[in-house]
Amino acid sequence: MSSKRDREYERRRHEKWVARQAAARTQRRRQQVVAGVVVGALVLGTGVVAAVALTRDDGADDAATPAATSTPAPSTTALPARTGNGGVLPEAALAEDRTWSGTLTTTAGDVEVELDGAAAPQAVANFVTLAQEGYFDGTQCHRLVTSGIYVLQCGDPTATGSGGPGYAWGPIENAPADDVYPAGTIAMARVGGDGESMGSQFFLVYEESQIPSDAAGGYTVFGRITSGLDVVQAIADAGTGADGVRPVTDVIIEGVEIQ
């Protein structure tokens, strides 16, 4: 994007953020749960298997996590934290036990999705609520994994891998028994070994990936991509930037419409 477009985009995003903050509840809790998918290498005899884990910055010991931990994705711009739904976990009943459809509008193209409110009611209620209040608008997909597992991670308003909505939730819902996540899967990121640590960050699987369960189990699958998988694949094909973490070209979620 041009610098002029950058400035205009940041201005609009800031205005929307100020408006949401003015309307939000006065209660604000310091972010307790951080998320950011990292890839760890487990040497298993003849090969290396990538496992998804999430980092935390609260001083917790991640030594028991079966995946090596890395620092959160570096941030090139100081972005404000956001509190979603006033810092309160949405009721699972809001998922209405039904299928939701929607579109993630990104700077790389549109991604159409279906969310399964019957199989993963808490995850869907959480995502729909955050989307409808504009929580994801202007957020950057901060991590791309192109080896071992194949995912694009988004949903952190700070673009650092450490941001979330001000609350954490669990347990894990609808995780695959065989640890296989087909291309097009949409799943929740979480802290390694902690099934009660999900927040706002999610990942899009662009190629089938086997992601080993950890002490907490697998990863909450709450939807699938119905159109636009090629958009995510193109992001992956372009690779990561100099930091080896973010997509080489910034991928910004401009808006999410869900119905």
Side-chain angles (χ1 to χ4, degrees):
M1 294 187 292
S2 67
S3 59
K4 181 178 180 181
R5 183 180 177 188
D6 284 344
R7 291 193 298 271
E8 177 62 18
Y9 190 85
E10 289 299 321
R11 183 188 66 78
R12 294 198 310 269
R13 190 176 73 170
H14 179 69
E15 289 176 351
K16 292 177 72 175
W17 169 240
V18 170
R20 286 196 299 270
Q21 283 293 88
R25 303 179 186 182
T26 56
Q27 179 185 6
R28 292 291 185 266
R29 293 190 290 173
R30 177 178 174 80
Q31 174 64 38
Q32 296 179 331
V33 176
V34 299
V37 164
V38 298
V39 176
L42 297 179
V43 180
L44 302 178
T46 60
V48 175
V49 177
V52 169
L54 301 186
T55 61
R56 44 192 313 154
D57 64 2
D58 57 1
D61 182 4
D62 288 312
T65 302
T69 337
S70 74
T71 56
S75 178
T76 56
T77 307
L79 299 174
R82 300 183 188 178
T83 300
N85 198 43
V88 178
L89 175 65
E91 294 289 337
L94 294 174
E96 299 177 2
D97 196 32
R98 69 177 177 91
T99 298
W100 298 71
S101 60
T103 303
L104 281 66
T105 300
T106 82
T107 51
D110 289 353
V111 178
E112 297 180 8
V113 302
E114 281 187 354
L115 309 180
D116 191 342
Q122 187 60 78
V124 171
N126 180 67
F127 189 88
V128 169
T129 298
L130 294 179
Q132 290 178 341
E133 72 174 29
Y135 180 90
F136 298 115
D137 296 2
T139 59
Q140 181 175 353
C141 294
H142 62 278
R143 191 178 300 277
L144 174 65
V145 185
T146 60
S147 178
I149 64 173
Y150 309 97
V151 302
L152 174 68
Q153 189 174 351
C154 312
D156 175 6
T158 71
T160 63
S162 63
Y167 56 80
W169 59 272
I172 295 165
E173 302 174 301
N174 197 38
D178 60 0
D179 291 339
V180 174
Y181 298 75
T185 296
I186 307 173
M188 293 300 303
R190 61 173 174 79
V191 173
D194 187 352
E196 303 287 334
S197 62
M198 289 170 280
S200 62
Q201 293 192 39
F202 60 94
F203 57 93
L204 309 175
V205 181
Y206 59 89
E207 292 182 22
E208 182 176 293
S209 300
Q210 183 163 12
I211 307 174
S213 297
D214 60 16
Y219 298 83
T220 294
V221 173
F222 67 99
R224 67 184 183 94
I225 295 171
T226 57
S227 178
L229 183 59
D230 58 324
V231 172
V232 187
Q233 184 68 62
I235 293 168
D237 289 345
T240 57
D243 59 21
V245 178
R246 299 175 187 274
V248 66
T249 300
D250 288 351
V251 178
I252 309 296
I253 296 176
E254 296 179 324
V256 181
E257 294 185 5
I258 301 289
Q259 59 183 6

